[in-house]
Amino acid sequence: MGGVTELTVWRTFVTVCRLGSLSAAAAELNHTQSAVSRQIAGLERQIGVPLVDRHARGVRPTAAGEVFRRHALATLNEADRAVRAARDVHDGPCGRPLAVGAAPSLASGIVPEAIRGLLTQAGSIRWSLVPGLSAQLHQRVIAGDLDIAVVTDAPPGLPHDPRVDRRFLGLDDMVVVLPVGHPQAGGGPVHMQTLADQTWVEDNDGSAALLRQHAARAGVSARIDLTAADLHGKLALVATGHAIALIPGVLTCALRTDITTVGLVDPPTRGIYTVTPRRDPHPSAGSLHDQLAAAFASGIRLQTP
């Protein structure tokens, strides 16, 4: 094996390890299962050691296979960067799409606003926006899937990794979202003790952790009796009077009309950052960061982290 053929087999092996199934890998790669099996067997013969264990529920890498998988994945990512770099030279700086990731609350308003500013400033740029949890987006930047991600340090926090640059944008005050007819609607900031008897709904562990930490500091507990599948479901439960919820302050300008917000005294906060790869940065990633910084400066209280 050699050249492009070898990379194809390595990609097949990495896909099999990720999915844990020959048939699932075959479907994703548009191969037959027998072709995938032959590629794995050929790779094992070439290297001279077993790379996968086959069991009733699929396959998993052996100890040697896991070591090979990590190195193979790094090689494949580097090969993909090489292809992109060659195309960038041929197509010019506007030829490469800008892949943007953002936490759901940021993808719902401030990131699209910043992208609009980027397009106004730089002209036509192909781009895509992928919502996701911060930890997942961080890994996708490292893997080369995203050129820039807008993430938060809400629990469990962000890892430190020398392969990425992380730049602070601002601190986002969390607020409480209420149905319009709630007794606290329209008032000023409230102490957490005022809301101690309320039913809360949460849609992710990070927000729930911030809520519990804030309640504990106030000497009370938060009754998180309801769980929503996502942010939209969380807001729907609030709008229909089933619960109240903690949400990021960046969302207040994009809320539906049947809910409102109230501030908290000494509210919990989360830091907002951009994460970009140190190698092969996209030519427009820095400009998008600047647009995001401007958007945050106009709508969010900025502090030193």
Side-chain angles (χ1 to χ4, degrees):
M1 280 182 269
V4 175
T5 301
E6 182 167 313
L7 289 178
T8 299
V9 175
W10 286 19
R11 199 177 300 277
T12 297
F13 174 73
V14 168
T15 304
V16 167
C17 292
R18 174 168 56 84
L19 298 176
S21 165
L22 296 175
S23 59
E28 180 171 305
L29 297 170
N30 198 26
H31 297 333
T32 65
Q33 183 171 336
S34 60
V36 169
S37 183
R38 287 195 301 271
Q39 289 183 53
I40 299 301
L43 186 59
E44 289 178 319
R45 286 194 301 270
Q46 180 195 21
I47 297 175
V49 297
L51 297 176
V52 296
D53 284 328
R54 292 163 175 80
H55 55 90
R57 296 184 178 179
V59 298
R60 57 176 170 260
T62 63
E66 176 58 25
V67 171
F68 180 78
R69 183 198 66 81
R70 292 198 298 267
H71 287 281
L73 182 59
T75 300
L76 290 168
N77 287 337
E78 192 62 31
D80 290 340
R81 292 188 186 98
V83 172
R84 287 201 304 268
R87 289 173 177 167
D88 289 347
V89 171
H90 179 267
D91 297 336
C94 294
R96 171 178 162 188
L98 177 66
V100 183
S105 58
L106 301 165
S108 296
I110 203 152
V111 172
E113 178 185 343
I115 292 174
R116 180 175 62 181
L118 174 66
L119 297 176
T120 299
Q121 177 190 70
S124 178
I125 297 174
R126 291 185 295 152
W127 59 277
S128 61
L129 177 59
V130 179
L133 298 179
S134 292
Q136 297 168 349
L137 297 173
H138 193 276
Q139 289 303 313
R140 295 192 67 175
V141 171
I142 293 172
D145 298 333
L146 295 173
D147 296 303
I148 182 171
V150 192
V151 298
T152 85
D153 63 4
L158 293 172
H160 291 281
D161 194 295
R163 293 170 290 182
V164 300
D165 283 319
R166 189 169 77 197
R167 300 172 68 187
F168 179 70
L169 287 170
L171 284 180
D172 182 17
D173 286 345
M174 304 293 285
V175 299
V176 178
V177 63
L178 313 163
V180 169
H182 192 280
Q184 299 296 335
V190 299
H191 290 274
M192 187 64 190
Q193 293 92 331
T194 306
L195 304 172
D197 62 342
Q198 298 287 307
T199 296
W200 295 79
V201 56
E202 278 302 343
D203 64 327
N204 68 78
D205 293 339
S207 182
L210 285 175
L211 175 58
R212 290 192 178 99
Q213 291 167 6
H214 182 71
R217 287 198 300 270
V220 297
S221 60
R223 291 173 33 219
I224 306 176
D225 293 340
L226 296 175
T227 301
D230 54 25
L231 179 61
H232 293 295
K234 178 176 175 176
L235 296 180
L237 287 169
V238 172
T240 49
H242 295 292
I244 64 175
L246 192 69
I247 66 166
V250 292
L251 280 176
T252 55
C253 62
L255 292 177
R256 48 195 287 175
T257 57
D258 51 0
I259 55 180
T260 188
T261 62
V262 65
L264 286 167
V265 175
D266 189 22
T269 62
R270 58 180 194 160
I272 311 296
Y273 299 81
T274 59
V275 178
T276 53
R278 287 189 173 171
R279 299 186 63 183
D280 190 28
H282 191 284
S284 298
S287 297
L288 180 57
H289 171 89
D290 294 341
Q291 291 292 331
L292 285 161
F296 270 74
S298 65
I300 294 183
R301 156 177 80 86
L302 292 181
Q303 299 182 6
T304 301

Short mmCIF file of all heavy atoms in Angstrom, two decimals, residues 90-137:
data_model
loop_
_atom_site.label_atom_id
_atom_site.label_comp_id
_atom_site.label_asym_id
_atom_site.label_seq_id
_atom_site.Cartn_x
_atom_site.Cartn_y
_atom_site.Cartn_z
N HIS A 90 -4.50 28.15 -4.72
CA HIS A 90 -5.09 28.20 -6.06
C HIS A 90 -6.30 29.14 -6.11
O HIS A 90 -6.46 29.92 -7.05
CB HIS A 90 -5.51 26.79 -6.50
CG HIS A 90 -6.15 26.75 -7.85
ND1 HIS A 90 -7.51 26.84 -8.02
CD2 HIS A 90 -5.61 26.62 -9.09
CE1 HIS A 90 -7.79 26.78 -9.32
NE2 HIS A 90 -6.65 26.63 -9.99
N ASP A 91 -7.16 29.06 -5.08
CA ASP A 91 -8.43 29.79 -5.11
C ASP A 91 -8.33 31.18 -4.52
O ASP A 91 -9.22 32.00 -4.74
CB ASP A 91 -9.51 29.02 -4.34
CG ASP A 91 -9.81 27.67 -4.98
OD1 ASP A 91 -9.55 27.53 -6.20
OD2 ASP A 91 -10.28 26.77 -4.27
N GLY A 92 -7.27 31.47 -3.77
CA GLY A 92 -7.18 32.74 -3.08
C GLY A 92 -7.84 32.65 -1.72
O GLY A 92 -8.50 31.67 -1.39
N PRO A 93 -7.71 33.69 -0.89
CA PRO A 93 -8.19 33.62 0.49
C PRO A 93 -9.69 33.43 0.62
O PRO A 93 -10.18 32.98 1.65
CB PRO A 93 -7.75 34.98 1.09
CG PRO A 93 -7.51 35.87 -0.08
CD PRO A 93 -7.05 34.97 -1.19
N CYS A 94 -10.49 33.81 -0.41
CA CYS A 94 -11.93 33.67 -0.31
C CYS A 94 -12.41 32.30 -0.76
O CYS A 94 -13.59 32.00 -0.72
CB CYS A 94 -12.63 34.76 -1.12
SG CYS A 94 -12.38 36.42 -0.47
N GLY A 95 -11.50 31.45 -1.24
CA GLY A 95 -11.92 30.17 -1.77
C GLY A 95 -12.23 29.14 -0.71
O GLY A 95 -13.02 28.23 -0.94
N ARG A 96 -11.63 29.25 0.45
CA ARG A 96 -11.82 28.25 1.50
C ARG A 96 -12.99 28.66 2.40
O ARG A 96 -13.00 29.75 2.97
CB ARG A 96 -10.54 28.14 2.32
CG ARG A 96 -10.65 27.31 3.59
CD ARG A 96 -9.28 27.26 4.24
NE ARG A 96 -9.34 26.85 5.64
CZ ARG A 96 -8.30 26.88 6.45
NH1 ARG A 96 -7.13 27.31 6.00
NH2 ARG A 96 -8.41 26.50 7.70
N PRO A 97 -13.98 27.79 2.55
CA PRO A 97 -15.11 28.12 3.43
C PRO A 97 -14.64 28.30 4.87
O PRO A 97 -13.71 27.64 5.32
CB PRO A 97 -16.03 26.91 3.29
CG PRO A 97 -15.61 26.22 2.03
CD PRO A 97 -14.15 26.49 1.88
N LEU A 98 -15.30 29.19 5.57
CA LEU A 98 -15.01 29.44 6.98
C LEU A 98 -15.98 28.59 7.81
O LEU A 98 -17.19 28.82 7.80
CB LEU A 98 -15.18 30.91 7.32
CG LEU A 98 -14.99 31.31 8.78
CD1 LEU A 98 -13.55 31.09 9.22
CD2 LEU A 98 -15.40 32.77 9.00
N ALA A 99 -15.46 27.59 8.52
CA ALA A 99 -16.28 26.70 9.35
C ALA A 99 -16.31 27.25 10.77
O ALA A 99 -15.29 27.29 11.45
CB ALA A 99 -15.72 25.29 9.33
N VAL A 100 -17.49 27.67 11.21
CA VAL A 100 -17.67 28.32 12.51
C VAL A 100 -18.49 27.40 13.41
O VAL A 100 -19.51 26.85 13.00
CB VAL A 100 -18.40 29.67 12.36
CG1 VAL A 100 -18.51 30.37 13.71
CG2 VAL A 100 -17.68 30.55 11.35
N GLY A 101 -18.05 27.22 14.64
CA GLY A 101 -18.82 26.51 15.65
C GLY A 101 -19.21 27.47 16.76
O GLY A 101 -18.51 28.45 17.03
N ALA A 102 -20.36 27.22 17.39
CA ALA A 102 -20.79 28.10 18.47
C ALA A 102 -21.69 27.34 19.43
O ALA A 102 -22.48 26.48 19.02
CB ALA A 102 -21.54 29.31 17.92
N ALA A 103 -21.56 27.64 20.72
CA ALA A 103 -22.50 27.12 21.71
C ALA A 103 -23.90 27.57 21.33
O ALA A 103 -24.07 28.65 20.73
CB ALA A 103 -22.13 27.64 23.09
N PRO A 104 -24.94 26.78 21.62
CA PRO A 104 -26.30 27.08 21.13
C PRO A 104 -26.77 28.50 21.44
O PRO A 104 -27.37 29.15 20.57
CB PRO A 104 -27.15 26.03 21.84
CG PRO A 104 -26.24 24.86 22.01
CD PRO A 104 -24.89 25.47 22.32
N SER A 105 -26.54 28.99 22.65
CA SER A 105 -27.00 30.34 22.99
C SER A 105 -26.30 31.40 22.16
O SER A 105 -26.89 32.45 21.84
CB SER A 105 -26.78 30.61 24.48
OG SER A 105 -25.40 30.47 24.81
N LEU A 106 -25.06 31.16 21.79
CA LEU A 106 -24.30 32.12 20.98
C LEU A 106 -24.65 32.00 19.51
O LEU A 106 -24.65 32.99 18.77
CB LEU A 106 -22.81 31.90 21.21
CG LEU A 106 -22.36 32.05 22.66
CD1 LEU A 106 -20.97 31.48 22.87
CD2 LEU A 106 -22.42 33.50 23.10
N ALA A 107 -24.97 30.77 19.07
CA ALA A 107 -25.38 30.57 17.68
C ALA A 107 -26.75 31.15 17.40
O ALA A 107 -27.13 31.32 16.23
CB ALA A 107 -25.38 29.07 17.35
N SER A 108 -27.50 31.46 18.47
CA SER A 108 -28.86 31.96 18.29
C SER A 108 -28.93 33.47 18.07
O SER A 108 -30.02 34.00 17.85
CB SER A 108 -29.72 31.60 19.52
OG SER A 108 -29.84 30.21 19.65
N GLY A 109 -27.83 34.17 18.15
CA GLY A 109 -27.94 35.61 17.98
C GLY A 109 -26.63 36.32 17.70
O GLY A 109 -26.43 36.89 16.64
N ILE A 110 -25.69 36.27 18.66
CA ILE A 110 -24.53 37.14 18.56
C ILE A 110 -23.54 36.67 17.49
O ILE A 110 -22.86 37.48 16.85
CB ILE A 110 -23.86 37.30 19.93
CG1 ILE A 110 -23.05 38.59 19.96
CG2 ILE A 110 -23.04 36.08 20.30
CD1 ILE A 110 -22.92 39.19 21.32
N VAL A 111 -23.45 35.36 17.27
CA VAL A 111 -22.54 34.87 16.23
C VAL A 111 -23.05 35.20 14.83
O VAL A 111 -22.29 35.71 13.99
CB VAL A 111 -22.26 33.37 16.41
CG1 VAL A 111 -21.47 32.81 15.23
CG2 VAL A 111 -21.49 33.13 17.71
N PRO A 112 -24.33 34.95 14.50
CA PRO A 112 -24.83 35.40 13.19
C PRO A 112 -24.66 36.90 12.96
O PRO A 112 -24.37 37.34 11.85
CB PRO A 112 -26.30 34.99 13.22
CG PRO A 112 -26.35 33.82 14.14
CD PRO A 112 -25.33 34.13 15.21
N GLU A 113 -24.84 37.69 14.05
CA GLU A 113 -24.63 39.13 13.92
C GLU A 113 -23.18 39.44 13.54
O GLU A 113 -22.91 40.29 12.67
CB GLU A 113 -24.99 39.81 15.24
CG GLU A 113 -24.77 41.32 15.23
CD GLU A 113 -25.03 41.95 16.60
OE1 GLU A 113 -25.67 41.31 17.44
OE2 GLU A 113 -24.57 43.09 16.81
N ALA A 114 -22.24 38.75 14.17
CA ALA A 114 -20.83 38.98 13.87
C ALA A 114 -20.48 38.52 12.46
O ALA A 114 -19.68 39.16 11.76
CB ALA A 114 -19.96 38.26 14.89
N ILE A 115 -21.08 37.42 12.01
CA ILE A 115 -20.83 36.95 10.64
C ILE A 115 -21.36 37.96 9.63
O ILE A 115 -20.72 38.22 8.61
CB ILE A 115 -21.47 35.56 10.43
CG1 ILE A 115 -20.73 34.51 11.28
CG2 ILE A 115 -21.43 35.15 8.96
CD1 ILE A 115 -21.36 33.14 11.27
N ARG A 116 -22.51 38.55 9.93
CA ARG A 116 -23.03 39.60 9.03
C ARG A 116 -22.04 40.76 8.94
O ARG A 116 -21.79 41.29 7.84
CB ARG A 116 -24.38 40.10 9.53
CG ARG A 116 -24.99 41.19 8.64
CD ARG A 116 -26.38 41.57 9.08
NE ARG A 116 -26.39 42.13 10.43
CZ ARG A 116 -27.50 42.52 11.06
NH1 ARG A 116 -28.67 42.40 10.45
NH2 ARG A 116 -27.44 43.03 12.28
N GLY A 117 -21.46 41.15 10.08
CA GLY A 117 -20.47 42.22 10.06
C GLY A 117 -19.25 41.83 9.26
O GLY A 117 -18.68 42.65 8.52
N LEU A 118 -18.83 40.58 9.38
CA LEU A 118 -17.67 40.10 8.61
C LEU A 118 -17.95 40.16 7.12
O LEU A 118 -17.10 40.61 6.33
CB LEU A 118 -17.34 38.66 9.03
CG LEU A 118 -16.25 37.95 8.21
CD1 LEU A 118 -14.91 38.63 8.43
CD2 LEU A 118 -16.17 36.47 8.60
N LEU A 119 -19.13 39.72 6.70
CA LEU A 119 -19.46 39.73 5.27
C LEU A 119 -19.57 41.15 4.73
O LEU A 119 -19.19 41.42 3.58
CB LEU A 119 -20.77 38.97 5.04
CG LEU A 119 -20.76 37.48 5.41
CD1 LEU A 119 -22.14 36.87 5.22
CD2 LEU A 119 -19.72 36.73 4.60
N THR A 120 -20.09 42.05 5.56
CA THR A 120 -20.17 43.46 5.14
C THR A 120 -18.78 44.04 4.94
O THR A 120 -18.53 44.80 4.00
CB THR A 120 -20.93 44.28 6.19
OG1 THR A 120 -22.26 43.77 6.34
CG2 THR A 120 -21.00 45.75 5.79
N GLN A 121 -17.87 43.65 5.81
CA GLN A 121 -16.50 44.18 5.76
C GLN A 121 -15.67 43.53 4.66
O GLN A 121 -14.95 44.21 3.93
CB GLN A 121 -15.83 43.97 7.12
CG GLN A 121 -14.38 44.42 7.18
CD GLN A 121 -13.71 43.96 8.46
OE1 GLN A 121 -13.47 42.77 8.65
NE2 GLN A 121 -13.45 44.90 9.36
N ALA A 122 -15.77 42.21 4.54
CA ALA A 122 -14.85 41.46 3.68
C ALA A 122 -15.45 41.03 2.35
O ALA A 122 -14.74 40.49 1.50
CB ALA A 122 -14.33 40.23 4.43
N GLY A 123 -16.75 41.20 2.18
CA GLY A 123 -17.37 40.75 0.93
C GLY A 123 -17.77 39.29 1.00
O GLY A 123 -17.95 38.72 2.07
N SER A 124 -17.87 38.67 -0.14
CA SER A 124 -18.38 37.30 -0.23
C SER A 124 -17.38 36.29 0.35
O SER A 124 -16.25 36.19 -0.10
CB SER A 124 -18.67 36.96 -1.69
OG SER A 124 -19.13 35.63 -1.80
N ILE A 125 -17.83 35.56 1.36
CA ILE A 125 -17.06 34.47 1.96
C ILE A 125 -18.01 33.30 2.16
O ILE A 125 -19.10 33.47 2.72
CB ILE A 125 -16.45 34.87 3.32
CG1 ILE A 125 -15.45 36.02 3.16
CG2 ILE A 125 -15.77 33.68 3.98
CD1 ILE A 125 -14.95 36.55 4.48
N ARG A 126 -17.63 32.14 1.71
CA ARG A 126 -18.44 30.96 2.00
C ARG A 126 -18.23 30.57 3.46
O ARG A 126 -17.10 30.57 3.95
CB ARG A 126 -18.05 29.80 1.08
CG ARG A 126 -18.45 30.02 -0.38
CD ARG A 126 -18.13 28.78 -1.20
NE ARG A 126 -16.69 28.53 -1.27
CZ ARG A 126 -16.16 27.33 -1.43
NH1 ARG A 126 -16.92 26.26 -1.52
NH2 ARG A 126 -14.83 27.19 -1.50
N TRP A 127 -19.32 30.23 4.15
CA TRP A 127 -19.20 29.94 5.57
C TRP A 127 -20.28 28.94 5.98
O TRP A 127 -21.28 28.74 5.29
CB TRP A 127 -19.33 31.21 6.41
CG TRP A 127 -20.62 31.95 6.22
CD1 TRP A 127 -20.93 32.84 5.23
CD2 TRP A 127 -21.80 31.84 7.03
NE1 TRP A 127 -22.21 33.30 5.37
CE2 TRP A 127 -22.78 32.70 6.47
CE3 TRP A 127 -22.12 31.11 8.17
CZ2 TRP A 127 -24.05 32.85 7.02
CZ3 TRP A 127 -23.39 31.25 8.73
CH2 TRP A 127 -24.33 32.11 8.15
N SER A 128 -20.05 28.31 7.13
CA SER A 128 -21.03 27.42 7.72
C SER A 128 -21.02 27.62 9.22
O SER A 128 -20.01 28.05 9.79
CB SER A 128 -20.73 25.95 7.37
OG SER A 128 -19.47 25.57 7.89
N LEU A 129 -22.15 27.32 9.87
CA LEU A 129 -22.28 27.50 11.31
C LEU A 129 -22.77 26.20 11.93
O LEU A 129 -23.82 25.68 11.53
CB LEU A 129 -23.24 28.64 11.64
CG LEU A 129 -23.53 28.90 13.12
CD1 LEU A 129 -22.25 29.20 13.88
CD2 LEU A 129 -24.53 30.04 13.28
N VAL A 130 -22.02 25.68 12.89
CA VAL A 130 -22.33 24.40 13.54
C VAL A 130 -22.54 24.64 15.03
O VAL A 130 -21.59 24.97 15.74
CB VAL A 130 -21.19 23.38 13.34
CG1 VAL A 130 -21.53 22.06 14.04
CG2 VAL A 130 -20.91 23.16 11.87
N PRO A 131 -23.78 24.52 15.55
CA PRO A 131 -23.99 24.63 16.99
C PRO A 131 -23.51 23.36 17.70
O PRO A 131 -23.52 22.26 17.12
CB PRO A 131 -25.52 24.77 17.14
CG PRO A 131 -26.04 24.98 15.74
CD PRO A 131 -25.05 24.35 14.82
N GLY A 132 -23.08 23.49 18.94
CA GLY A 132 -22.65 22.33 19.70
C GLY A 132 -22.21 22.73 21.09
O GLY A 132 -22.06 23.92 21.40
N LEU A 133 -22.02 21.74 21.94
CA LEU A 133 -21.52 22.00 23.28
C LEU A 133 -20.05 22.42 23.22
O LEU A 133 -19.31 21.98 22.34
CB LEU A 133 -21.69 20.77 24.16
CG LEU A 133 -23.14 20.31 24.38
CD1 LEU A 133 -23.17 19.06 25.26
CD2 LEU A 133 -23.99 21.41 24.99
N SER A 134 -19.64 23.24 24.15
CA SER A 134 -18.30 23.84 24.09
C SER A 134 -17.19 22.80 24.01
O SER A 134 -16.25 22.93 23.22
CB SER A 134 -18.08 24.76 25.29
OG SER A 134 -18.92 25.89 25.19
N ALA A 135 -17.27 21.75 24.83
CA ALA A 135 -16.20 20.73 24.84
C ALA A 135 -16.11 20.03 23.49
O ALA A 135 -15.01 19.76 22.98
CB ALA A 135 -16.46 19.71 25.95
N GLN A 136 -17.26 19.76 22.88
CA GLN A 136 -17.27 19.12 21.57
C GLN A 136 -16.69 20.03 20.50
O GLN A 136 -15.92 19.60 19.64
CB GLN A 136 -18.70 18.72 21.20
CG GLN A 136 -19.31 17.69 22.14
CD GLN A 136 -20.80 17.52 21.92
OE1 GLN A 136 -21.44 18.30 21.22
NE2 GLN A 136 -21.37 16.48 22.53
N LEU A 137 -17.04 21.32 20.56
CA LEU A 137 -16.52 22.28 19.57
C LEU A 137 -15.01 22.43 19.71
O LEU A 137 -14.29 22.54 18.72
CB LEU A 137 -17.22 23.62 19.74
CG LEU A 137 -18.72 23.64 19.49
CD1 LEU A 137 -19.30 25.01 19.86
CD2 LEU A 137 -19.05 23.31 18.04
#
